[in-house]
Amino acid sequence: MSDSEPDLELLELLRQHLAGKPQVNAEPDTGVLESAEYVYNNCIDVALDMRSCKNAAKAIYSQMQTKSYSPATWATHELHPHPSKGDKPEDVVAFIFTMDLLNFSFWSERSEEERFSIEYKGKRWTGYWSLVAALQRALEEGIPITDPHFWQNEDEFTLDTLKHVFRSATSEEMPLLGARLSCLREAGQILYEKFSCHPKNLISASSQSAAALVNLLASSFPCFSDVHSPPSFPRKKPIRLLKRAQILVADLWACFEGEGPYGTFRDIDKITMFADYRIPQALNQMGCLQYAPPLETAIHQKRDIPSGSGWEIQLRACSIWCVELIRREIVRENPGTKVNAILIDFFLYDTIKELEAEGGESVPHHRTRSMWY
């Protein structure tokens, strides 16, 4: 054999070695943060004020420390289920899945006294809490609203059933009831076909990866696939925002305090904030988000901003990137601190709702009627 001829035996040995070499699988990623950064770098109607972001990071961290804000804070809300309240873990998972399946579009143009609300335990609940209260009330009344088998029973589970579950203390009906019925029907069928009819099996299939669970939700359930391709952002990859898929994972993590088979996620910090209409409102009120005059006018005049439009995608994506920069600033100024986008989002949401109750909102939220948030 000359020097120029290949050693066929050696090549075969190399082929066998490489063929038997285990494949190294990359850790899953949701793509949400990458999408948010792309939109921020290419948008023209929303900007970030870096000085305000730094000030917000300092104020948020200080208040979170004062209030001892942590995943355990989630369970302190009286309406949230939790094993410490006597709820079975599997039932808690089913409740959270149902809750976040329907966790969208609660805003109203009516006054606080006239808007859709749920009467439960001697109180009136509005917004997101009206959803949680309605689910708890239905279960107490013997309606198996968190059971996927029930969702598939077209004789017992109808639009009238859902209207009863979400019957309002006012004349205003819960928005998008038909869409909510479709979400439950669709999810029930998919759970039956792929996941033995219980959402706990979704968690098992994700192998304790938050990103994998988000991706599984988005790929398996169309109503969780919060993915967009607006003409104003032309590129091969669509914009992934995945609000409800991410908040479902975050709620599981917070409820079970990052422990056990339903709360342990090795990569929980890959979850971003949950792009809705309340967090952009809070960030704008703190001076972190700045809007171009036409967009600012549209928000202040409470004009409809269509779902999936350039303005709406910029509002949501830039909010994600803004919270990420705030998180990075908190970690930079406080080395060793444990804070992620989930806790910052929960804190900002609670804060803006407190301001709303006190009449302290200085700017309105944007108006988009959507099943994505």
Side-chain angles (χ1 to χ4, degrees):
M1 183 179 70
S2 68
D3 290 342
S4 61
E5 293 177 349
D7 186 332
L8 298 177
E9 186 177 352
L10 179 59
L11 284 174
E12 182 60 27
L13 285 171
L14 285 169
R15 288 192 190 99
Q16 292 176 10
H17 174 73
L18 291 172
K21 187 176 180 180
Q23 295 295 312
V24 179
N25 294 320
E27 279 290 296
D29 190 90
T30 66
V32 173
L33 195 60
E34 185 271 336
S35 288
E37 184 178 17
Y38 167 79
V39 172
Y40 170 70
N41 287 334
N42 291 276
C43 70
I44 59 173
D45 298 297
V46 180
L48 269 60
D49 184 280
M50 294 306 171
R51 184 182 296 275
S52 294
C53 288
K54 287 180 180 288
N55 292 338
K58 184 176 181 180
I60 290 169
Y61 180 72
S62 174
Q63 292 178 48
M64 288 176 73
Q65 293 296 106
T66 300
K67 296 182 178 181
S68 299
Y69 220 80
S70 73
T73 306
W74 191 94
T76 63
H77 290 285
E78 62 181 287
L79 293 180
H80 276 157
H82 195 266
S84 66
K85 300 175 182 178
D87 302 310
K88 295 179 181 178
E90 290 78 11
D91 292 342
V92 171
V93 171
F95 189 100
I96 290 173
F97 182 83
T98 307
M99 180 178 79
D100 287 321
L101 198 61
L102 303 177
N103 187 0
F104 57 86
S105 199
F106 305 109
W107 59 269
S108 172
E109 298 293 3
R110 299 191 186 185
S111 68
E112 194 67 17
E113 294 74 25
E114 297 176 327
R115 66 180 296 187
F116 168 79
S117 61
I118 294 292
E119 276 193 0
Y120 178 63
K121 290 191 172 180
K123 296 182 183 179
R124 279 198 178 187
W125 306 89
T126 60
Y128 161 77
W129 293 113
S130 67
L131 166 66
V132 189
L135 295 179
Q136 294 284 20
R137 182 178 66 181
L139 291 174
E140 287 188 7
E141 293 173 345
I143 302 171
I145 190 60
T146 61
D147 185 351
H149 294 92
F150 180 60
W151 306 339
Q152 296 176 81
N153 188 327
E154 296 188 12
D155 293 327
E156 293 187 19
F157 184 58
T158 64
L159 184 58
D160 285 338
T161 308
L162 207 58
K163 286 181 178 179
H164 177 74
V165 168
F166 292 112
R167 63 190 183 277
S168 178
T170 71
S171 62
E172 185 177 36
E173 200 174 67
M174 176 177 259
L176 301 180
L177 266 177
R180 297 177 201 276
L181 178 67
S182 297
C183 281
L184 292 169
R185 282 257 197 273
E186 174 188 85
Q189 186 65 28
I190 294 168
L191 284 172
Y192 174 77
E193 293 174 352
K194 297 182 178 181
F195 302 102
S196 300
C197 222
H198 201 291
K200 68 179 182 180
N201 299 314
L202 283 159
I203 304 171
S204 301
S206 68
S207 302
Q208 296 186 324
S209 166
L213 181 50
V214 168
N215 292 339
L216 183 60
L217 288 164
S219 63
S220 301
F221 299 86
C223 61
F224 277 120
S225 187
D226 183 7
V227 180
H228 309 272
S229 298
S232 50
F233 292 98
R235 67 172 192 164
K236 291 183 179 179
K237 291 198 298 184
I239 307 300
R240 294 170 64 84
L241 300 176
L242 303 177
K243 186 262 184 180
R244 289 189 297 110
Q246 288 204 106
I247 203 170
L248 195 161
V249 177
D251 284 343
L252 289 168
W253 172 74
C255 176
F256 292 100
E257 298 181 36
E259 297 179 353
Y262 305 131
T264 302
F265 297 100
R266 65 179 182 275
D267 55 352
I268 192 63
D269 290 345
K270 287 185 178 178
I271 302 299
T272 70
M273 64 79 74
F274 319 115
D276 63 359
Y277 51 88
R278 282 301 187 183
I279 305 304
Q281 179 191 20
L283 294 171
N284 179 242
Q285 188 156 325
M286 292 188 293
C288 300
L289 284 188
Q290 308 261 325
Y291 304 144
L295 174 56
E296 187 167 27
T297 298
I299 292 173
H300 278 268
Q301 291 181 351
K302 300 182 179 181
R303 284 161 30 199
D304 177 65
I305 297 178
S307 177
S309 66
W311 275 357
E312 193 242 5
I313 295 299
Q314 289 179 71
L315 284 165
R316 299 180 70 202
C318 289
S319 297
I320 293 172
W321 190 242
C322 184
V323 168
E324 173 61 15
L325 295 185
I326 289 172
R327 184 198 67 79
R328 292 180 185 181
E329 178 66 12
I330 290 174
V331 172
R332 189 183 71 82
E333 287 293 318
N334 305 276
T337 191
K338 296 291 184 182
V339 65
N340 58 24
I342 297 171
L343 291 176
I344 295 173
D345 182 288
F346 285 173
F347 176 81
L348 288 173
Y349 180 85
D350 287 346
T351 300
I352 199 68
K353 291 299 288 183
E354 288 172 7
L355 286 173
E356 179 189 37
E358 297 166 0
E361 294 175 298
S362 61
V363 294
H365 62 76
H366 72 273
R367 262 58 177 178
T368 298
R369 188 66 76 188
S370 165
M371 68 173 286
W372 303 121
Y373 60 97

